[in-house]
Amino acid sequence: MKGKRPSTGLVHGGRRPEWRGRLVNPPVHRGSTVLFDSVAEMGAAAPAFGKSYYGLHGSPTTWSLAEALTELEPGAGGTMLYSSGLAAVTAALMTVLSAGDELLMVDSVYGPTRRFCDGLLRRYGVATRYYDPLIGAEIAGLIGERTRAVFLESPGSLTMEVQDVPAICAAARARGVVTLIDNTWATPLFFPALAAGVDLTILAATKYIAGHADVMLGSVTATPAWYGKLERTSWDLGHAVSPDDAWLGARGLRTLDVRLRRHEENALRVAEWLQAQPQVAAVLHPALPACPGHALWARDFRGSSGLFSFVLRGGGDADRARLIDALTLFGLGYSWGGFESLAVPVDPQRLRTAAPWRAEGPLVRLHVGLEDPADLIEDLAAALAGYPTS
Ligand SMILES: *Cc1c(COP(=O)(O)O)cnc(C)c1O
C-alpha cells in the first residue's frame, strides 16, 4: 500500500490478487520444483522477486510477506526473509563485509550477534571493534581506512540505550560506510529505519511480527542500492523460509498495530509502577526519562514496545533467582514479542567490552504481554515483597 499510512499498510500490504485469488489471505504455497512449459521458457527464466523459478527463490506466500514488510519502510528496495532473526543478522553482515574489512559494532548488541562477529566473522578475516551505544556523531572518530560497516541496535539488548541513529548514519555515509540496524524492538511501525538513514534494517520477526511465540522468522529490508546484493548473498547462502512460517508471519503482521500499542500501554503501566518500588534502583525503559538516550527516543520514535529492564537495589544472583521464581504470570524463557509476559535474569557485564556495565544490583529483563497490567503488577508486588531491602 504505497503512500498509505502504516496501519493501513499492515492490513493491505502484499495482498496482490495474483497471489491470493479471491481469498483474503494468500494461501500456503508448498513446493520446491517449478515446472516450465518448454526448454526455451526455462532458458529465458531467471530467479527474481515475484517470478516462479525454484523453491529457494520464493513463492506467493513469501513474496506477500516480504512486500508487506518492504512497504512499511518508505524508500526501500525490497525485503528478504530468513528462518530466524539471527539468520537475518548474519546474512545482512555477510552481504556487506569482505575479508580485510573492519566492522564497528554497538557494545549493547544482542549476544548471539556478538558471538557471530567474534567467532565466524573473525575466522573469515573481518575484524570487529565495539563502540559505546551513546557515541552519537563521534562515531566519525572511529571510522578508519578499513571500516566498511557500522551496526546499530536501538534500544540496545538488555540495557536499552537509545542510539542517535540519524547522526551515526550521517557520519558513516559521509565516509562511504554502510549502516545496518537491528530494529526488532521498535519494528518499522514505531521506527522506520531507512528514513533515518540506515541502509539495511533487520527484524527478528520471531518477536512482534509473528507475535504469538509460535514461529522462528527473520527479515532484512534494504535500500534499492543494497537490495540486489542482499538477494544474491542470501540465495548463495541457501536461505529459504518455509511457506507455513511465512504465512504465520503474515498472519501476525496484520494485527501488529493493535498488539504493539497494547504492549506499549501495559509496559508503561508496569514500568512506572516498578519505578516507585523501594527494591528497584532504576527502570531502563526508553520512554522513561531515566533511560540513557531517552531524549533521542522522544525525538525519533513513534512509540515504545513491551520489552524493558530494571535494576534491583542491592541483592545478589540468588535473591534475583528467588524473585523470578516467585512470579506466576511471567514465564521464564528466551525470546519475547509474543502475547505473553516473560522475565529473565540478564548479565550484560559478562558481554560488554567498550562501555562496561556497572549497576547497583542485578538486572531483570521483562517482556510485558497482553494480560491485564493490574494482574501483572500484583504478581510483581508479591514477588518483590520477598526481596531484601538494604
Ligand atoms: C531474538 C533477537 C534476535 C534473534 O532472533 P531469533 O529469531 O531468535 O533468531 C535478534 N535480535 C534481537 C534484538 C533479538 O531480540
Side-chain angles (χ1 to χ4, degrees):
M1 280 287 106
K2 285 210 170 65
K4 292 283 184 288
R5 288 162 187 82
S7 51
T8 305
L10 288 174
V11 172
H12 291 275
R15 287 177 45 218
R16 294 194 202 181
E18 68 261 38
W19 292 339
R20 64 179 171 84
R22 287 173 176 270
L23 298 172
V24 170
N25 296 299
V28 174
H29 287 257
R30 290 213 137 273
S32 54
T33 297
V34 169
L35 298 174
F36 296 93
D37 287 342
S38 65
V39 171
E41 190 198 19
M42 184 184 236
F49 181 84
K51 295 260 179 347
S52 291
Y53 185 81
Y54 179 56
L56 179 74
H57 309 101
S59 71
T61 315
T62 57
W63 298 326
S64 174
L65 174 59
E67 183 166 276
L69 290 170
T70 300
E71 288 177 1
L72 291 176
E73 289 281 352
T79 297
M80 292 298 287
L81 301 177
Y82 303 87
S83 57
S84 71
L86 185 58
V89 167
T90 61
L93 285 168
M94 291 181 84
T95 296
V96 304
L97 294 164
S98 305
D101 288 346
E102 183 193 65
L103 165 68
L104 293 178
M105 173 57 74
V106 64
D107 206 20
S108 50
V109 74
Y110 174 67
T113 299
R114 186 178 198 110
R115 187 188 156 86
F116 174 75
C117 294
D118 295 346
L120 205 139
L121 266 191
R122 188 167 163 215
R123 193 146 64 75
Y124 282 80
V126 175
T128 300
R129 223 168 129 195
Y130 292 91
Y131 68 87
D132 185 332
L134 300 174
I135 196 167
E138 284 167 40
I139 192 90
L142 295 186
I143 295 175
E145 278 304 298
R146 302 191 128 179
T147 309
R148 179 70 181 133
V150 179
F151 192 104
L152 304 92
E153 185 179 318
S154 181
S157 270
L158 315 184
T159 45
M160 311 307 291
E161 298 93 335
V162 183
Q163 296 193 258
D164 194 339
V165 179
I168 292 173
C169 291
R173 191 158 289 184
R175 298 284 295 275
V177 170
V178 55
T179 50
L180 310 90
I181 193 169
D182 184 329
N183 198 30
T184 301
W185 184 85
T187 83
L189 204 62
F190 284 169
F191 185 70
L194 298 196
V198 175
D199 295 301
L200 296 99
T201 177
I202 301 156
L203 297 176
T206 306
K207 313 287 168 58
Y208 285 128
I209 305 301
H212 293 72
D214 51 9
V215 65
M216 302 292 295
L217 205 60
S219 71
V220 181
T221 301
T223 57
W226 280 102
Y227 178 68
K229 195 162 182 208
L230 173 73
E231 187 183 67
R232 187 69 260 165
T233 305
S234 303
W235 288 340
D236 287 349
L237 288 167
H239 281 299
V241 63
S242 140
D244 299 276
D245 295 350
W247 188 91
L248 280 169
R251 183 188 174 111
L253 185 72
R254 304 300 174 198
T255 58
L256 178 66
D257 190 318
V258 285
R259 284 186 290 109
L260 215 48
R261 286 178 204 285
R262 182 60 71 88
H263 282 293
E264 171 174 46
E265 194 181 312
N266 287 3
L268 275 169
R269 280 268 301 277
V270 172
E272 279 163 0
W273 177 84
L274 274 172
Q275 226 172 13
Q277 306 312 305
Q279 303 92 338
V280 174
V283 176
L284 304 172
H285 183 303
L288 297 184
C291 189
H294 163 73
L296 298 169
W297 173 83
R299 185 190 71 185
D300 295 342
F301 286 65
R302 297 174 179 169
S304 58
S305 64
L307 189 79
F308 69 94
S309 300
F310 66 94
V311 180
L312 287 154
R313 193 183 298 284
D317 289 356
D319 302 308
R320 175 177 64 179
R322 266 193 300 278
L323 166 74
I324 292 174
D325 287 345
L327 294 167
T328 60
L329 293 177
F330 289 81
L332 176 61
Y334 294 111
S335 206
W336 50 277
F339 51 81
E340 83 290 11
S341 291
L342 297 166
V344 283
V346 292
D347 294 296
Q349 68 277 10
R350 296 199 190 138
L351 300 170
R352 293 173 64 140
T353 52
W357 170 256
R358 289 182 200 88
E360 53 177 293
L363 194 62
V364 176
R365 191 187 72 182
L366 294 184
H367 178 253
V368 174
L370 304 178
E371 301 92 338
D372 190 312
D375 287 328
L376 297 176
I377 287 170
E378 279 175 20
D379 196 24
L380 284 162
L384 275 174
Y387 202 79
T389 34
S390 43

